[in-house]
Amino acid sequence: MIPVLMVASEAAPLAKVGGLADVVGALSAALRELGHEVAVVMPRYRGIALDGAQRVYGNLDLWFGPACYRVNVYLREERARYLLVDCPELYDRPGIYGPPGRDYEDNHVRYAVLARAAFALARHVFRPRIFHCHDWQASLVPIYLRTILRYEPTFIAARTVLTIHNLGYQGIYPPSALPEMGLNEQAASEAGMEFFGRYNLLKGAISSSDRITVVSPTYAREIQTPELGFGLDDLLRQRSHAITGILNGADYSEWNPETDPYIAAHYSRDDLSGKAACKRDLLDEFGLPAQPERPLIGMVSRLDSQKGFDLLREAAGELIAEDLTLVVLGTGNQEYEGFLRELVAARPDRVGLRIGFDIRLAHKIVAGADIFLMPSRYEPCGLNQLYSLRYGTVPVVRSTGGLEDTVDESTGFKFREYSAWAMMEAVRAALAAWRDRPRWEALMRAGMAKDFSWKISAARYSELFRELAA
Ligand code: ADP
Ligand code: GLC
């Protein structure tokens, strides 16, 4: 079995901003179930408790030029083995990446320390064959291996896999940041990090990793086009033989209407009756009138332009003119928050809004809504549509990335053109279907029967690791 060291900036249940955390938490556990030896290295952010954790590396001093960071590493056993890098001056802060809507200015240093700690662990605590690195925050791992660590015998046999969850975030820094990450211009150039006078960590990792995976087959193709390549499509086309699309799974131990501890009543494909109680409970949660005869649309999302809030804003008037109720849970961009608040003010009896991050309420929305709306501008994979399918909540999605790969006409509604008009047409089709109860139940049941469990996806990663380790 292959020893795999995952390096990531989020993992559920310890720290979560978005789907990356769900994936790292569930994939590491699923790979372990397949027999691999897996450990996840991540920062010990504020709020991650160390009760019962064991210190596995003490007083490690990591030098970057004149700056030194003292680190301790703790092992915490969850479903996977977590190696928590403790460095209070870098990680004990109110936010994971920054204060709301912003990034900490020293994020490159925070994740350089994470990468260097991962190598110290790989030397002395857990020797991996595969470094599995997620997004730009882990990109310094393949970059260091290709440059300053190239001749270190310990790592000669190590292979790197970069998983891209979102090409929209690349980690781009000015030249002054290079020495702060322990690099110089020559190393940066060897790693292929140059990017219009600055240095791009994800670009370096795309150039330096042995293999690249992308979280859905469609997104793997889309990032190789100028429309969705975020300036890296040329490079990605050059590396296209090294790229594989592997769809994310859904963690059905967390997301299952038969056992979910957060929802008002349990239900299943064979007995849908509990869903009505979940809908009542959800309307009540938002202080909306109990009107089961009106279709309820739910959204749970980062408030970000990626997620299609421009369309929602444009279509808002038309949308609430329909006979429906809308509930939204999200946090992020203030501008989107503003228009959503206006929408509530205009129709307090029809629109519910909760700004914040609330896992319990996310489950209630996925269970209690009739329709789940994801009008994303782009969506590398998307997890909420997978959860919704399992809960008999019919998704209305834009045909992009993983949404294209996981929703079809037997389970939901799709639109292609990124326009308010196209979105409204799909919403209206869904509303019409909702009024045809037998048709609607067929849609619900077809979605609930789909299997997007991690078993299948983890097996694909496993195959890839085996190929690389051979
Ligand atoms: P992304 O990673 O781009 O945000 P995904 O669909 O892959 O999108 O995953 C988002 C994850 O974060 C899901 O588990 C979703 O339920 C959760 N989530 C997003 N926003 C919130 C929120 N405001 N409160 C609770 N959970 C949220
Ligand atoms: C990113 C993407 C999302 C994907 C998640 C997990 O945050 O935006 O589409 O599901 O990562 O891979």
Side-chain angles (χ1 to χ4, degrees):
M1 286 299 128
I2 301 172
V4 180
L5 189 60
M6 273 197 202
V7 185
S9 56
E10 297 177 36
L14 301 179
K16 168 161 164 173
V17 172
L20 170 64
D22 298 34
V23 171
V24 173
L27 173 60
S28 54
L31 285 168
R32 200 180 202 190
E33 272 159 34
L34 289 175
H36 296 294
E37 237 184 290
V38 186
V40 180
V41 190
M42 65 180 279
R44 182 199 171 207
Y45 299 110
R46 179 173 295 177
I48 299 183
L50 292 179
D51 317 338
Q54 173 198 353
R55 189 161 88 154
V56 290
Y57 208 127
N59 300 328
L60 167 65
D61 284 333
L62 297 171
W63 289 88
F64 294 81
C68 179
Y69 301 92
R70 172 155 291 195
V71 156
N72 286 285
V73 183
Y74 296 87
L75 168 66
R76 205 173 120 170
E77 294 274 354
E78 296 284 326
R79 284 192 302 171
R81 192 183 297 161
Y82 284 96
L83 295 165
L84 300 168
V85 179
D86 191 34
C87 180
E89 85 184 91
L90 294 178
Y91 306 131
D92 185 9
R93 300 182 186 177
I96 290 183
Y97 301 123
R102 282 195 296 132
D103 288 325
Y104 294 123
E105 268 163 33
D106 60 349
N107 273 347
H108 59 298
V109 176
R110 297 172 80 224
Y111 294 110
V113 166
L114 181 70
R116 291 273 301 275
F119 287 116
L121 291 162
R123 287 186 196 99
H124 302 295
V125 177
F126 179 86
R127 175 81 46 95
R129 273 310 292 283
I130 307 285
F131 284 95
H132 186 184
C133 309
H134 296 267
D135 278 350
W136 78 263
Q137 293 91 344
S139 286
L140 281 163
V141 170
I143 290 171
Y144 290 151
L145 275 175
R146 188 48 61 92
T147 57
I148 51 182
L149 298 178
R150 184 169 10 175
Y151 299 113
E152 183 168 332
T154 322
F155 299 125
I156 293 288
R159 296 290 175 268
T160 48
V161 175
L162 168 71
T163 294
I164 301 178
H165 296 263
N166 194 334
L167 198 64
Y169 300 86
Q170 299 179 357
I172 301 171
Y173 291 96
S176 60
L178 276 186
E180 293 167 350
M181 298 185 281
L183 294 168
N184 56 29
E185 273 171 35
Q186 192 197 331
S189 145
E190 279 165 11
M193 294 167 65
E194 293 110 332
F195 195 67
F196 304 107
R198 294 190 289 168
Y199 293 96
N200 181 326
L201 298 185
L202 189 67
K203 179 169 181 272
I206 291 170
S207 310
S208 306
S209 298
D210 293 304
R211 296 293 287 269
I212 298 158
T213 73
V214 179
V215 291
S216 70
T218 293
Y219 193 58
R221 288 190 297 276
E222 288 171 339
I223 57 173
Q224 299 182 49
T225 66
E227 295 75 55
L228 288 179
F230 284 97
L232 297 180
D233 48 297
D234 254 344
L235 172 64
L236 287 160
R237 280 195 300 278
Q238 283 167 34
R239 294 232 59 201
S240 107
H241 58 282
I243 300 177
T244 322
I246 304 180
L247 205 61
N248 286 334
D251 185 351
Y252 294 132
S253 68
E254 289 272 330
W255 294 92
N256 177 353
E258 294 175 51
T259 54
D260 192 325
Y262 298 114
I263 64 179
H266 292 146
Y267 59 95
S268 68
R269 214 173 142 237
D270 300 323
D271 179 6
L272 294 171
S273 57
K275 194 162 166 63
C278 294
K279 182 171 178 179
R280 276 197 302 278
D281 174 57
L282 178 58
L283 290 167
D284 184 54
E285 181 79 32
F286 278 95
L288 289 161
Q291 288 167 332
E293 71 288 356
R294 184 162 283 147
L296 175 54
I297 300 187
M299 294 182 82
V300 177
S301 181
R302 291 186 288 114
L303 301 181
D304 187 289
S305 65
Q306 176 197 340
K307 300 294 182 179
F309 284 96
D310 300 316
L311 290 193
L312 196 71
R313 176 165 48 193
E314 211 184 312
E318 252 185 274
L319 188 70
I320 52 169
E322 293 288 333
D323 186 26
L324 55 78
T325 309
L326 171 71
V327 297
V328 181
L329 164 65
T331 168
N333 189 316
Q334 303 275 323
E335 229 178 276
Y336 297 133
E337 195 182 308
F339 99 80
L340 288 167
R341 283 191 199 287
E342 283 166 26
L343 208 57
V344 178
R347 286 311 298 266
D349 56 328
R350 293 291 196 84
V351 185
L353 172 67
R354 188 76 56 83
I355 299 297
F357 197 86
D358 183 342
I359 288 174
R360 187 191 61 100
L361 188 56
H363 282 251
K364 283 177 181 279
I365 293 176
V366 167
D370 297 302
I371 295 169
F372 198 92
L373 179 60
M374 291 179 80
S376 306
R377 197 165 68 75
Y378 73 93
E379 195 62 77
C381 179
L383 296 170
N384 279 305
Q385 83 280 15
L386 302 182
Y387 305 151
S388 298
L389 286 169
R390 178 49 58 112
Y391 283 68
T393 303
V394 175
V396 173
V397 304
R398 179 153 178 269
S399 302
T400 181
L403 298 174
E404 168 71 6
D405 294 338
T406 57
V407 177
D408 60 44
E409 57 279 15
S410 72
T411 59
F413 297 83
K414 299 207 260 195
F415 62 100
R416 184 162 299 275
E417 189 185 288
Y418 189 72
S419 73
W421 176 85
M423 183 186 89
M424 279 312 297
E425 201 173 58
V427 168
R428 285 194 188 104
L431 295 176
W434 186 80
R435 293 197 177 90
D436 176 351
R437 196 62 203 176
R439 176 161 176 225
W440 194 255
E441 285 195 1
L443 277 164
M444 288 170 74
R445 289 211 166 84
M448 294 174 92
K450 291 274 175 195
D451 182 2
F452 290 106
S453 55
W454 266 109
K455 210 178 275 162
I456 304 159
S457 304
R460 303 223 31 218
Y461 281 97
S462 174
E463 217 174 281
L464 179 73
F465 295 161
R466 258 180 242 283
E467 245 175 76
L468 272 175

